Amino acid sequence: MYTSRLIKSYSLFMLSLIVMGLGISLVTLAYLGTTPITSPPFTASFSVPISFGMLTMLMNFIFVLIQIILLGKEFKREQYLQLLVGPVLGAAIDGWSLIISLYLTENYLVKLGMVILGCIIIALSTIIQLKANVVNNPAEGIVKAIAYKTNKEFGDIKLYFDITLVIIALIISFVTLGEIQGVREGTIISAIIIGPMIRKFQQVFL
């Protein structure tokens, strides 16, 4: 019984990463900016010969490493499974991006629709992760670790963390391209609506 429940939980978690990859790809390939969390790897992908998905994987590895450094012995053994998130999410982003890129349009309203649909899907994927209730997503785990070590509220740290990532993305863009790429109105839209969507879906599904 315990084993089957564990298999179901981790299967749900893996499903959530594939769904999240779809949401991130929709937001990103609208080319109106990407989500705050993925803005550094997306801007970096314009100037290095590595895919957006693989750069996202590397960023997730860095998030796990920072958690290990911050928490030390308090970093729970099962949380090392966060290292699986990067490859699965990265492959999902690259896979979905290949499919979505076949249907791109220059229609601005359609692009906005892609951003909003992508945000809805990202929020739903987060609900699936919460339902699975296994390891942290690295982006969530690092915020939890910082909040724990600084004795601050998770929501406050999440806001500062997202802003920091956007600033890093802007710096990468200016240094490598000499202009702003990858941070636009879609970044602001996703930063504003994903959180409230998650809270609303929690009331409905959890």
Side-chain angles (χ1 to χ4, degrees):
M1 177 70 86
Y2 175 75
T3 302
S4 63
R5 188 164 63 246
L6 202 61
I7 291 172
K8 180 181 177 181
S9 294
Y10 276 99
S11 297
L12 267 179
F13 187 73
M14 291 300 169
L15 173 63
S16 76
L17 297 178
I18 294 170
V19 174
M20 182 172 284
L22 172 59
I24 291 170
S25 298
L26 280 168
V27 173
T28 303
L29 290 181
Y31 290 108
L32 299 178
T34 188
T35 64
I37 289 289
T38 54
S39 56
F42 183 55
T43 53
S45 71
F46 290 116
S47 55
V48 297
I50 306 175
S51 72
F52 172 41
M54 292 303 98
L55 287 169
T56 301
M57 177 187 74
L58 292 173
M59 184 181 70
N60 278 291
F61 285 157
I62 292 170
F63 287 168
V64 177
L65 178 61
I66 293 172
Q67 289 178 62
I68 294 170
I69 292 171
L70 283 175
L71 297 176
K73 293 181 180 180
E74 293 180 283
F75 186 78
K76 295 181 180 179
R77 188 177 302 173
E78 63 267 23
Q79 293 300 331
Y80 280 101
L81 291 170
Q82 288 183 47
L83 293 169
L84 295 175
V85 173
V88 175
L89 181 59
I93 289 172
D94 283 347
W96 284 117
S97 293
L98 283 174
I99 297 170
I100 295 169
S101 64
L102 299 175
Y103 304 97
L104 296 182
T105 177
E106 292 302 314
N107 186 298
Y108 186 77
L109 290 178
V110 174
K111 289 183 174 185
L112 278 179
M114 287 174 65
V115 171
I116 293 170
L117 177 59
C119 289
I120 292 170
I121 292 172
I122 291 170
L124 286 172
S125 71
T126 303
I127 294 301
I128 298 172
Q129 285 185 15
L130 293 173
K131 188 76 172 176
N133 192 30
V134 283
V135 299
N136 294 321
N137 184 307
E140 178 188 2
I142 187 173
V143 174
K144 283 184 175 179
I146 295 171
Y148 173 71
K149 296 302 287 187
T150 59
N151 198 29
K152 302 290 185 182
E153 291 291 331
F154 176 89
D156 293 338
I157 297 298
K158 179 73 168 67
L159 176 61
Y160 299 143
F161 185 67
D162 287 352
I163 292 171
T164 300
L165 290 178
V166 171
I167 291 171
I168 290 171
L170 290 171
I171 292 171
I172 292 171
S173 184
F174 274 120
V175 169
T176 60
L177 303 172
E179 59 181 0
I180 295 176
Q181 289 278 0
V183 178
R184 284 185 53 183
E185 60 268 40
T187 307
I188 298 171
I189 291 170
S190 60
I192 291 172
I193 71 174
I194 289 177
M197 282 181 177
I198 291 171
R199 288 191 289 273
K200 178 60 71 174
F201 289 150
Q202 279 181 301
Q203 295 171 5
V204 176
F205 297 111
L206 296 180

